[in-house]
């Protein structure tokens, strides 16, 4: 993680990552850094239900719908067409 990304994490997770975000960034580059932190809380090669995804996201931000959608749109996670299963995207899948 470079210095700029670390600065974003320090600003967004004002009281530390475990305490959640103080705000959700608007800038795409900052969102990507924050989403990377959130995605790191999921295990590779594991499938998750929407409810399980939401529970993890709620630890960081109450608007789990936006974060879940962004994890998908920024290609950190993929899902089935019906949204019943989610999983982390491996680097080679991107």
């Amino acid at each position: 993680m470079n210095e700029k990304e670390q600065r974003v994490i320090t600003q967004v997770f004002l009281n530390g990552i475990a305490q959640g975000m103080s705000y959700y960034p608007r800038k795409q580059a900052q969102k990507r850094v924050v989403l990377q932190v959130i995605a790191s809380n999921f295990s590779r090669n594991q499938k998750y239900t929407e409810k399980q995804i939401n529970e993890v996201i709620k630890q960081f931000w109450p608007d789990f719908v936006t974060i879940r959608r962004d994890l998908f749109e920024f290609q950190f996670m993929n899902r089935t067409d019906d949204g019943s299963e989610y999983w982390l995207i491996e680097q080679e899948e991107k």
Side-chain angles (χ1 to χ4, degrees):
M1 189 163 291
N2 66 37
E3 188 178 319
K4 188 175 182 180
E5 292 170 333
Q6 189 61 48
R7 206 169 33 248
V8 170
I9 290 171
T10 302
Q11 290 170 349
V12 173
F13 296 96
L14 195 57
N15 296 313
I17 292 173
Q19 299 302 312
M21 297 186 291
S22 56
Y23 68 96
Y24 188 52
R26 292 179 187 235
K27 293 182 178 179
Q28 300 298 310
Q30 292 177 345
K31 277 185 185 182
R32 184 169 295 285
V33 172
V34 168
L35 292 170
Q36 184 176 357
V37 170
I38 294 171
S40 71
N41 287 271
F42 296 97
S43 298
R44 302 245 179 246
N45 302 317
Q46 183 174 341
K47 303 253 175 156
Y48 295 91
T49 65
E50 185 176 293
K51 184 176 181 180
Q52 289 171 315
I53 295 291
N54 295 345
E55 290 303 314
V56 172
I57 293 170
K58 280 193 246 180
Q59 297 172 35
F60 299 99
W61 193 246
D63 183 3
F64 55 86
V65 175
T66 297
I67 304 295
R68 188 182 67 234
R69 182 181 58 240
D70 284 352
L71 284 167
F72 177 75
E73 289 181 7
F74 281 77
Q75 297 183 334
F76 284 96
M77 299 195 96
N78 206 347
R79 65 179 183 211
T80 56
D81 288 339
D82 64 0
S84 63
E85 290 185 324
Y86 290 76
W87 60 92
L88 285 175
I89 295 176
E90 298 292 334
Q91 288 290 24
E92 51 277 0
E93 283 186 66
K94 285 187 178 182

